[in-house]
Amino acid sequence: MNAPLPMSVARDAAGAYDRVAFATNEVAGRLAQHLATQTQGEVLFSPADRGRYATDASIYQEMPVGVFVPRRAEDVQLAIDICRDLGVPVVSRGGGTSQCGQTVGAGLVIDNTKHVRNVLELDVAGRTAVVEPGIVLDHLNAQLKKHGLWYPVDVSTSAQATLGGMAGNNSCGSRSIAWGNMVHNVRGIDAWTADGQLHRFGRFDDSTGWVRAMGEQVRAMAAELAPEIDARWPKVLRRVAGYNLDVFRNQNPRPYTADGSVNLAHLLVGSEGTLAVTRSLTLQLSELPKAKVLGVVNFPTFYKAMDTAQHIVKLGGGTLTAVELVDRTMIELSLQNPAFAPVVRSAVIGQPDAVLLVEFSGADKASLVRHLDDLVALMGDLGLPGSVVRLEDDTAQKNLWEVRKAGLNIMMSLKGDGKPVSFIEDCAVPLEHLAEYTDALTQVFRRHGSRGTWYAHASVGTLHVRPILDMRRDGAPKMREIAEEAAALVRQYRGAYSGEHGDGLCRGEWIQWQFGPRITEAFGRIKQLFDPQQLLCPRRMVDPPRMDDTRLMRFPPSYKVIPLQPALDWKPWDVQNDPATEKTTAPGTGGDPAQGYAKAVEMCNNNGHCRKFDAGTMCPSYRVTRDEQHLTRGRANTLRLALSGQLGPDGIASQAVRDALDLCVSCKGCKRDCPTGVDMAKMKVEFLHHWHRRHGRSLKDRLIAALPDYARTAARLAPLLNLRNRSPLLARLGEKVLGFSARRSLPEWKSRHFFNTPHGTASAAETLAAAKPVVLFVDTFNGYFESDNAEAALRVLQAAGYTVHVASKARPDGGHLCCGRTHLASGQVEEARAKAREVAQALGPFAERGIAIVGLEPSCLLTLRDEHLSLGLGEVSRQIASQALLLEEFLARELSAGRLDVLKEKLRPVQQRILVHGHCHQKAFDAVSPVLRLLQLIPGAQPELVESSCCGMAGAFGYEASHHEVSMQMAELSLLPAVRNAPDAIVVADGTSCRHQIHDGAGREAIHAAVLLARQL
């Protein structure tokens, strides 16, 4: 659809691209050798490394020649020189979250995010910052916050989007109505052109040399094309297609510069790495708003929401900063996510078809509240009284914005091959046409047997809409047909086809449609000026491929899954869905040769939410290494590549998969935090089953797995076994023979333990007949190693008036009841299933009667709520899961029901400060807040939650010599410093591994919450 480049340029570009796309091992080898010998960066050329960088958050996949992770900016320049000499294209990449395929390509991918991510200069008075391209927006804003400043281009992916990538895409964000797009907030760019020369791009009037000459040529083009620019350029704030040729003839409703001057850095903004490679960016900062309020307007129809936006934007007197849409589909999907459901329920009234989030920001909250009053009055005038939920509390606002920011990814959580596909999702139209456009586009989807999932920057007329398509089957031709009809609507309403997410592989061909042949030819000349060898991101912006070329897609016609007989039940993912109704077929009917495992893996859409570093759990190993390989996304991609044979015939049992999952600590952070529900912990269990079946198990693995089986015997040898912790020689010998780190103490065995001590608890029959019954599930660790915890829990429950039965096997054999967690952790699924059957037989009668089953160790008790449901034991497992609660969850529930008055009266005050560290599985199942709530029953207690990720122990992980260093690095991120900084505090940690890490790393004794409660009785 684009006008052709001059023949020589087109031939050279195509030739270079094709040569690299089918690169020989010799070229790749020479490239890798030169990079390894001439730079300090990391050189990643294995099939798995290349595969992990072959995709972004789009539907595309293109295998690069290799990946380069520079350690310093100078490495980037050397890499450009090496690539130029070998004729290998350069593909710049930020967080890899692009929606349109901007960061995939057949050249050398350069990833700055690990090392080249510093703030180089900060001028607080002048409100500017100079940053390297790999820095993440949230990390920058965290540093700016203490100065009362922020960088206001607040994209929804702010926790993982880099400033370099944002500049490449000309990103916008939810609050662009107030602060503009990336192009409005960039003051200068230092960048290398393809010839390896570093240039400073800033004010045109101040430019000299090559930059000045280039600017003059572009100015001449703009003058020559003035009539075309005036006629064809979209007159909307959100327009990110093509190059910003209009810097010399502004067409944006918001001028690019405050004084009307021309800044040549703005030519690079939105160029998607095709003109230069960024060395640093000079950013214009803004004052951080001191106060915000949020009104959530509930609408009975989607059309009414869209039609109302044009009236809402007139409110606020300059304080309106956002008007964002959330549609019915996103609301319903959010309610299925345990992290988002409570937040959404607090903001909706009934079952709205859509809501608008209307934010006002300013100097003081009191004046902003009056604008909420105006919003309420407006909605009453428009026939919707009582439709506004007012959120004035800062935490409540933040939580709802987090859900909104996850919107695009939440929409991808639909199971089945039909997924919302990004290709027309950010068309921008004038606000007065928004309702008509969305209604017409809905009819387009319906004609093609699909429906759209919507959310929008309603304040600026930009719509994020993704029709549900099956890209494995007929998705590509339907995508083409829908795109052409949508384009006609955009033209009808004089909008922009690409309003926010750029061009890339998806929309490059639509540049000519938007701008016409003459402007498109000028874009080609600009590319030639900057990059005559077509070295930088070829076939983007200029000479792009067709958007529906299936050879470039993640699921091309040749994509096949290797048949697999899984050990766990993955059938809930093995479904098909109806694009028009979003209804799914019965589990197990999806046609997955891996019986649902492959489809579960493919739920990862590469959104990169796992790259975040803020509060939460995922992904702890990535937080330490910053390697794509050790990221939930990287692991999911590795599994997908392996399952589809792209990493060789070994499939899931390949070494590449083992390497990727080696540092996965099974924290389940992804189960909670991943918007598409990727559960890598469970996927790792499946992998380990197949890996060990093919490669066998080490003695260490067998010892760990069988711990519950030999614990009773080992306890009798406690004095002998505990010598290991007192003898450095034995510790070193144990490391050499078994692989347990000599630098780590092992849990201490006890001759007298909970299971060989009489407690006078109730029988099963007595408990079933009791008025206040409860079953105490005592696990291996709290039974044999830390009996004080189990005894404390028993004492607390009895003090609260409960009849307590200690869970035991239905058929006594001298052993204790076990969840099977240690077997699962080593992939021994059949052994774990046998343990689960014993649990079902013993606890089923209690669960059937609705009696709570209460546990102490999060990883064990929550196995009953999670993995047991995947072991194929049927309804009894679901009944037990519904009654399985951690001690604090149970008591918090009883407190809400008014049944803890007896316990409250018995608790004595505490004077010390209390720090609480949540176990990863507690966080994943939203079971940390009950701990805080329960501890608040103690008079004087003000428990403080340590904002920590995984402690680094993760069961056996931290005990292994091969993982000790990483384990300690995880602990040092936040947990251990927080403990050291509170030397007089009581440290509460429910996880036995967490307590062990605190003991070894900080020399402090952490206690279970049950122990603290029992102490105060």
Side-chain angles (χ1 to χ4, degrees):
M1 300 179 70
N2 290 54
L5 288 169
M7 183 57 68
S8 60
V9 176
R11 183 171 57 248
D12 290 344
Y17 193 82
D18 290 341
R19 283 194 302 275
V20 173
F22 301 95
T24 65
N25 288 334
E26 179 185 358
V27 173
R30 289 168 59 197
L31 177 60
Q33 181 182 26
H34 288 316
L35 289 169
T37 57
Q38 298 177 36
T39 76
Q40 297 179 20
E42 298 171 43
V43 182
L44 309 175
F45 276 60
S46 74
D49 283 320
R50 292 164 56 220
R52 285 187 281 267
Y53 282 84
T55 51
D56 53 15
S58 70
I59 58 175
Y60 298 101
Q61 174 175 306
E62 208 170 1
M63 202 64 69
V65 171
V67 179
F68 181 61
V69 181
R71 292 188 182 276
R72 51 183 190 153
E74 291 75 13
D75 288 333
V76 179
Q77 182 175 17
L78 290 169
I80 295 171
D81 292 340
I82 293 168
C83 285
R84 184 178 62 254
D85 292 343
L86 293 175
V88 176
V90 171
V91 180
S92 298
R93 178 182 171 107
T97 60
S98 298
Q99 302 289 326
C100 303
Q102 290 97 320
T103 61
V104 300
L108 177 71
V109 172
I110 298 180
D111 178 2
N112 286 312
T113 61
K114 185 172 182 178
H115 301 292
V116 189
R117 52 181 177 86
N118 300 297
V119 176
L120 302 177
E121 297 177 27
L122 176 60
D123 181 354
V124 174
R127 293 186 180 177
T128 63
V130 180
V131 302
E132 292 182 316
I135 192 170
V136 170
L137 175 59
D138 276 359
H139 301 175
L140 171 63
N141 278 333
Q143 295 185 49
L144 298 175
K145 186 176 182 179
K146 61 186 176 184
H147 302 292
L149 301 174
W150 74 315
Y151 191 65
V153 187
D154 60 332
V155 294
S156 63
T157 54
S158 62
Q160 57 265 33
T162 66
L163 270 299
M166 291 170 60
N169 281 357
N170 190 9
S171 295
C172 306
S174 300
R175 297 174 175 86
S176 62
I177 188 174
W179 283 283
N181 305 344
M182 196 74 186
V183 72
H184 299 104
N185 294 277
V186 171
R187 293 273 295 272
I189 296 178
D190 287 4
W192 294 283
T193 44
D195 59 4
Q197 297 300 307
L198 182 64
H199 300 284
R200 173 157 295 182
F201 297 86
R203 285 175 55 92
F204 175 56
D205 292 343
D206 299 334
S207 299
T208 59
W210 180 89
V211 173
R212 176 76 185 194
M214 178 277 304
E216 288 173 347
Q217 293 186 63
V218 175
R219 180 174 61 177
M221 290 183 210
E224 175 189 345
L225 294 168
E228 292 278 327
I229 292 173
D230 292 343
R232 287 188 168 273
W233 218 271
K235 309 299 189 289
V236 291
L237 177 66
R238 297 293 188 90
R239 189 281 311 159
V240 298
Y243 299 132
N244 294 324
L245 183 58
D246 68 325
V247 293
F248 286 102
R249 193 174 185 86
N250 180 57
Q251 303 294 311
N252 197 297
R254 185 188 187 99
Y256 290 147
T257 60
D259 60 2
S261 62
V262 173
N263 191 316
L264 295 178
H266 296 163
L267 267 179
L268 300 187
V269 175
S271 65
E272 300 183 359
T274 61
L275 300 182
V277 177
T278 301
R279 167 65 178 85
S280 64
L281 301 114
T282 302
L283 307 175
Q284 179 66 59
L285 309 177
S286 295
E287 183 179 358
L288 193 64
K290 293 183 173 60
K292 296 177 183 177
V293 295
L294 185 65
V296 184
V297 189
N298 291 251
F299 292 91
T301 67
F302 181 85
Y303 186 94
K304 183 68 173 177
M306 291 292 87
D307 190 49
T308 304
Q310 60 184 310
H311 305 295
I312 291 177
V313 296
K314 298 173 184 176
L315 298 175
T319 65
L320 182 73
T321 47
V323 183
E324 298 289 295
L325 170 84
V326 177
D327 83 336
R328 175 195 56 79
T329 299
M330 183 176 158
I331 292 171
E332 291 180 356
L333 289 173
S334 298
L335 289 172
Q336 297 172 23
N337 186 307
F340 299 143
V343 178
V344 174
R345 290 194 194 99
S346 70
V348 298
I349 301 171
Q351 295 180 309
D353 204 42
V355 300
L356 288 178
L357 311 185
V358 184
E359 180 188 82
F360 302 94
S361 302
D364 68 282
K365 189 159 290 191
S367 62
L368 298 177
V369 168
R370 291 194 290 271
H371 296 310
L372 281 184
D373 297 337
D374 295 338
L375 176 64
V376 171
L378 173 65
M379 299 317 300
D381 294 341
L382 294 175
L384 291 174
S387 61
V388 181
V389 175
R390 303 167 67 117
L391 296 181
E392 299 174 22
D393 176 72
D394 292 341
T395 300
Q397 294 179 56
K398 179 179 181 295
N399 291 341
L400 189 58
W401 277 118
E402 288 300 316
V403 178
R404 165 61 184 76
K405 288 170 67 174
L408 284 177
N409 303 316
I410 291 173
M411 291 176 182
M412 298 300 292
S413 62
L414 290 173
K415 291 186 175 74
D417 291 342
K419 292 286 193 297
V421 179
S422 169
F423 63 101
I424 57 166
E425 73 168 40
D426 56 344
C427 299
V429 298
L431 205 53
E432 62 269 21
H433 301 309
L434 194 57
E436 297 170 46
Y437 171 73
T438 54
D439 191 53
L441 199 53
T442 298
Q443 301 307 317
V444 171
F445 299 155
R446 193 166 294 155
R447 285 196 296 275
H448 291 281
S450 182
R451 66 185 295 178
T453 59
W454 303 80
Y455 82 106
H457 302 298
S459 60
V460 288
T462 299
L463 297 165
H464 291 306
V465 54
R466 297 185 175 192
I468 301 172
L469 300 174
D470 184 350
M471 298 309 295
R472 296 173 185 267
R473 296 172 180 84
D474 59 354
K478 282 189 177 181
M479 181 173 72
R480 164 70 57 185
E481 293 165 0
I482 292 172
E484 290 177 349
E485 292 191 48
L489 290 173
V490 172
R491 177 159 287 164
Q492 175 184 338
Y493 294 114
R494 299 182 64 80
Y497 189 73
S498 183
E500 179 175 3
H501 289 159
D503 298 320
L505 293 171
C506 186
R507 281 198 286 262
E509 65 167 301
W510 295 89
I511 290 174
Q512 178 167 313
W513 172 92
Q514 182 82 73
F515 295 103
R518 293 193 66 205
I519 293 177
T520 303
E521 191 273 337
F523 290 160
R525 282 190 279 155
I526 292 173
K527 170 70 171 171
Q528 179 70 3
L529 280 173
F530 277 82
D531 182 19
Q533 291 181 259
Q534 305 295 302
L535 186 73
L536 307 179
C537 293
R539 300 188 73 189
R540 306 289 194 280
M541 317 285 281
V542 173
D543 188 33
R546 285 175 60 89
M547 67 183 295
D548 54 340
D549 186 343
T550 57
R551 296 171 300 176
L552 301 175
M553 293 186 179
R554 197 182 309 182
F555 300 112
S558 60
Y559 186 87
K560 303 291 182 186
V561 171
I562 299 173
L564 180 77
Q565 179 61 51
L568 298 173
D569 180 10
W570 298 93
K571 291 186 183 67
W573 283 266
D574 189 15
V575 297
Q576 288 295 341
N577 54 29
D578 186 326
T581 65
E582 299 175 18
K583 292 182 178 179
T584 58
T585 61
T589 62
D592 180 2
Q595 300 184 40
Y597 186 57
K599 288 187 184 294
V601 168
E602 291 161 6
M603 288 298 292
C604 176
N605 71 328
N606 279 12
N607 63 74
H609 193 65
C610 39
R611 295 174 66 95
K612 69 189 184 77
F613 277 73
D614 61 353
T617 301
M618 96 174 162
C619 179
S621 50
Y622 173 74
R623 295 183 185 206
V624 169
T625 70
R626 292 182 180 262
D627 289 337
E628 184 75 18
Q629 175 180 356
H630 299 136
L631 184 65
T632 304
R633 177 179 71 181
R635 292 175 180 130
N637 272 324
T638 307
L639 282 167
R640 176 180 57 81
L641 293 162
L643 288 165
S644 56
Q646 296 181 68
L647 297 182
D650 288 343
I652 187 177
S654 70
Q655 183 65 40
V657 177
R658 187 181 187 282
D659 292 342
L661 290 174
D662 181 49
L663 298 188
C664 173
V665 293
S666 299
C667 66
K668 294 185 182 291
C670 48
K671 178 183 176 68
R672 173 180 170 83
D673 291 348
C674 175
T676 60
V678 172
D679 186 349
M680 192 54 61
K682 191 178 293 185
M683 292 174 183
K684 183 175 182 179
V685 171
E686 187 70 52
F687 156 73
L688 287 171
H689 168 80
H690 294 277
W691 172 265
H692 289 310
R693 192 169 64 173
R694 178 174 299 184
H695 300 282
R697 287 181 170 82
S698 67
L699 176 59
K700 171 176 63 68
D701 292 331
R702 293 197 295 271
L703 281 173
I704 292 170
L707 174 65
D709 299 320
Y710 63 75
R712 184 172 54 150
T713 301
R716 296 170 184 159
L717 305 173
L720 180 63
L721 294 176
N722 291 339
L723 287 176
R724 182 268 180 198
N725 285 349
R726 295 158 180 76
S727 168
L729 178 62
L730 289 176
R732 289 195 297 271
L733 181 63
E735 178 171 323
K736 185 174 182 179
V737 176
L738 299 176
F740 294 119
S741 174
R743 292 176 286 176
R744 175 77 68 188
S745 66
L746 295 181
E748 293 272 341
W749 292 96
K750 302 289 175 60
S751 298
R752 179 190 174 279
H753 52 78
F754 186 86
F755 293 123
N756 65 8
T757 304
H759 296 286
T761 51
S763 67
E766 290 170 336
T767 304
L768 287 168
K772 292 180 66 177
V774 67
V775 176
L776 180 61
F777 180 81
V778 181
D779 57 273
T780 303
F781 306 100
N782 286 301
Y784 285 102
F785 297 104
E786 297 182 275
S787 296
D788 290 350
N789 298 335
E791 290 164 357
L794 179 59
R795 185 181 172 198
V796 169
L797 289 169
Q798 291 175 333
Y802 293 93
T803 300
V804 184
H805 171 67
V806 176
S808 59
K809 293 184 180 182
R811 297 191 180 106
D813 60 5
H816 67 291
L817 200 62
C818 173
C819 70
R821 160 60 55 190
T822 57
H823 290 295
L824 288 168
S826 63
Q828 295 184 355
V829 177
E830 283 306 318
E831 291 83 350
R833 187 174 284 116
K835 298 290 187 186
R837 286 196 186 98
E838 292 182 337
V839 169
Q841 291 168 0
L843 301 184
F846 298 99
E848 188 178 352
R849 295 279 295 274
I851 296 174
I853 299 159
V854 174
L856 300 172
E857 174 59 35
S859 63
C860 292
L861 185 283
L862 294 172
T863 298
L864 276 57
R865 294 223 302 249
D866 190 4
E867 286 87 356
H868 279 203
L869 299 178
S870 300
L871 293 174
L873 300 184
E875 181 60 27
V876 65
S877 288
R878 285 185 283 276
Q879 289 178 336
I880 291 173
S882 69
Q883 298 301 325
L885 297 166
L886 289 167
L887 175 69
E888 297 90 343
E889 289 182 297
F890 170 70
L891 291 176
R893 187 185 75 177
E894 298 296 280
L895 176 65
S896 297
R899 292 192 284 263
L900 283 193
D901 290 344
V902 174
L903 180 64
K904 285 193 290 185
E905 291 173 1
K906 295 178 179 178
L907 289 171
R908 293 177 291 128
V910 66
Q911 305 298 326
Q912 287 174 267
R913 181 181 175 190
I914 300 173
L915 290 185
V916 177
H917 164 69
H919 185 283
C920 291
H921 293 188
Q922 283 179 297
K923 296 172 187 173
F925 287 86
D926 198 23
V928 176
S929 55
V931 180
L932 301 175
R933 187 179 177 203
L934 192 63
L935 293 179
Q936 287 169 351
L937 288 180
I938 301 173
Q942 294 182 325
E944 306 167 41
L945 182 65
V946 179
E947 288 292 353
S948 57
S949 181
C950 179
C951 73
M953 287 299 289
F957 181 89
Y959 292 102
E960 297 170 0
S962 60
H963 295 145
H964 180 266
E965 185 175 349
V966 171
S967 170
M968 296 310 300
Q969 288 174 337
M970 290 181 187
E972 292 291 355
L973 287 175
S974 55
L975 173 59
L976 295 184
V979 171
R980 293 189 194 106
N981 289 335
D984 298 323
I986 299 170
V987 181
V988 173
D990 280 359
T992 183
S993 295
C994 305
R995 292 190 294 273
H996 207 108
Q997 182 74 293
I998 293 168
H999 172 273
D1000 283 1
R1004 298 278 295 284
E1005 296 300 324
I1007 60 173
H1008 194 286
V1011 171
L1012 179 56
L1013 287 166
R1015 282 182 187 174
Q1016 303 310 120
L1017 288 173

